[in-house]
Amino acid sequence: MAEATPPTDWIECRVEDDSDVLYLAGAWRLANVAAIAGRLRELGLKAGTHCVLDGSRLESLDTAAGFILLKHLANAGCTRSMVSGRGFDPRYERLLGLVHERMATPPSAGNAVRLGLVQRVGVAVLDVVRMLKMHVDFIGVVTLELASLVRSPGRFRSRETVSQFEAVCIDAVPIVALVNFLIGVVIAYVLGVQAQRYGATLFVADGIALGICRELSPILSSVLVAGRSGAAFTAQIGTMKVEEEIDAISTLGLSPIQVLVIPRLVALMVAAPLLVFVGDVAGIAGGLLVGTWQLDIAPQVFLDRVHAALEMRHFMVGIGKAPVFAAIVATIACGMGLQVSRDARSLGQNTTSTVVQCIVWVIILDAAFAVAFQRMDI
């Protein structure tokens, strides 16, 4: 910490041409702020009087002393237009200008508006419509960039895609397998308890095979992908936007969509069917474990029953839904990342919103698929 300079007459006030001229003298530093503030209070400046700051006697000036000086003048009713300077070293003049800019009074919080139920519903509907429009616009932009890559495949960033594939698929295999295995255990146990009453425990294998492969594995894998990879996409791209790296990419003449979005989209669409397949195997393994230990079904009998019940069309329905879920997750996640404002609060809000939106849309799409496949008798 800087040492305080010996006591001096920090400021002298004279009246010249109907103006108060303040002659600043000595070292206006942090160590002397207390003494300077006391001397300023002794001046007794009057509001509405034009002040002239004379810096010709200044030895040094830092931001702390400058802040004390400008704050005292503001409290005394001297606006910026009523204060002028002369004789300042250009460095000190710039420093005072910078301190004055940073002293801007923060905006008032304003009066809180209490909305009624109908108004809240209306605001929520408008937010949903605005969000849908944003996603539709973004899907259009991504589609155009994909078409551009088809015409110029050399611009496709294969290394980035492989790197993203490792992160969203290879690293996600353990958690996807574990969750589906446990769900298989739970479903087999619940079905087994009910089937034992009717002596139909063998048909637990049918329920496990159809339930896991057709519905549960695609949904659970997509929800895990949304929470894990979707949130990561938004956080990564949002952080790059906050740090102006996306602006740098655009400045280099590159498309942020082609550099950041498309590799993640392709990697996730390729990884999703593989994760669903892993979930299928893990879920059936969980059912097999309960069937063998709890329901006294021989493993070979259980597997034979799964093979008989699980037609290829049921397996393909589950696998086929995965890329669609992956596309909607990647599109929402990357779009929300690009919508991040340049502050950490917006980054957190968009990341949370990404997870919620992705899960909701996955469930909506799965319901639509269920109705459509039922109508098509698939």
Side-chain angles (χ1 to χ4, degrees):
M1 183 177 177
E3 295 182 357
T5 56
T8 182
D9 191 6
W10 304 106
I11 188 167
E12 180 183 0
C13 181
R14 298 179 185 173
V15 178
E16 298 177 3
D17 299 331
D18 296 331
S19 297
D20 289 338
V21 182
L22 306 182
Y23 290 90
L24 313 183
W28 281 53
R29 314 290 299 181
L30 174 63
N32 305 317
V33 160
I36 293 171
R39 185 69 183 93
L40 285 169
R41 285 192 294 269
E42 295 173 0
L43 294 178
L45 295 176
K46 297 180 180 178
T49 304
H50 182 256
C51 287
V52 178
L53 300 178
D54 188 302
S56 58
R57 304 176 188 175
L58 266 180
E59 297 175 5
S60 60
L61 176 69
D62 65 9
T63 54
F67 174 77
I68 292 297
L69 172 63
L70 296 180
K71 184 181 179 183
H72 181 83
L73 293 175
N75 292 339
C78 299
T79 62
R80 187 171 188 176
S81 61
M82 297 167 59
V83 179
S84 59
R86 71 186 187 191
F88 279 95
D89 185 293
R91 295 172 300 166
Y92 302 151
E93 193 170 0
R94 289 196 297 272
L95 186 144
L96 282 176
L98 182 63
V99 170
H100 190 275
E101 291 177 3
R102 296 294 186 271
M103 286 178 62
T105 304
S108 59
N111 298 326
V113 179
R114 299 177 68 91
L115 300 179
L117 178 61
V118 176
Q119 291 172 312
R120 287 175 181 272
V121 172
V123 171
V125 170
L126 290 176
D127 288 342
V128 170
V129 171
R130 192 179 304 113
M131 192 70 70
L132 284 174
K133 182 178 181 302
M134 183 194 75
H135 290 320
V136 171
D137 291 344
F138 186 68
I139 289 173
V141 173
V142 172
T143 303
L144 291 176
E145 294 288 350
L146 279 170
S148 174
L149 281 180
V150 170
R151 291 194 299 270
S152 304
R155 288 186 293 170
F156 180 68
R157 304 179 74 85
S158 56
R159 291 186 178 180
E160 175 67 13
T161 304
V162 172
S163 175
Q164 292 295 332
F165 176 81
E166 180 181 1
V168 302
C169 182
I170 306 301
D171 296 345
V173 165
I175 185 65
V176 169
L178 176 62
V179 170
N180 281 281
F181 177 82
L182 295 176
I183 290 297
V185 169
V186 172
I187 297 299
Y189 184 80
V190 173
L191 287 178
V193 170
Q194 301 300 321
Q196 278 179 327
R197 299 180 179 178
Y198 305 99
T201 53
L202 183 59
F203 293 102
V204 171
D206 296 51
I208 290 293
L210 294 177
I212 291 290
C213 295
R214 190 178 174 105
E215 296 295 338
L216 294 178
S217 180
I219 289 183
L220 290 173
S221 301
S222 299
V223 168
L224 290 173
V225 165
R228 186 177 179 278
S229 303
F233 288 173
T234 302
Q236 292 166 359
I237 296 176
T239 302
M240 294 180 71
K241 187 171 183 183
V242 171
E243 296 179 352
E244 301 182 352
E245 294 180 35
I246 294 179
D247 294 338
I249 291 173
S250 301
T251 303
L252 292 174
L254 302 174
S255 166
I257 302 296
Q258 293 184 5
V259 174
L260 301 175
V261 177
I262 291 179
R264 287 170 169 80
L265 173 65
V266 173
L268 203 56
M269 291 183 68
V270 174
L274 301 177
L275 291 175
V276 170
F277 177 73
V278 170
D280 292 347
V281 175
I284 292 174
L288 175 64
L289 179 66
V290 174
T292 302
W293 285 6
Q294 184 72 22
L295 306 176
D296 296 328
I297 303 174
Q300 186 59 47
V301 175
F302 187 95
L303 292 177
D304 288 344
R305 191 63 205 168
V306 168
H307 184 264
L310 186 60
E311 299 177 13
M312 180 57 71
R313 62 188 177 96
H314 298 307
F315 173 75
M316 292 306 299
V317 164
I319 294 292
K321 289 190 288 187
V324 180
F325 293 162
I328 199 69
V329 168
T331 303
I332 291 175
C334 295
M336 293 300 291
L338 291 173
Q339 292 297 319
V340 169
S341 304
R342 299 184 190 282
D343 61 83
R345 183 169 177 266
S346 174
L347 178 60
Q349 289 177 334
N350 281 29
T351 303
T352 304
S353 178
T354 291
V355 176
V356 175
Q357 289 187 58
C358 289
I359 292 175
V360 170
W361 275 110
V362 164
I363 294 174
I364 291 175
L365 286 175
D366 190 67
F369 276 129
V371 174
F373 290 147
Q374 182 69 27
R375 293 293 182 92
M376 291 187 289
D377 196 23
I378 297 178

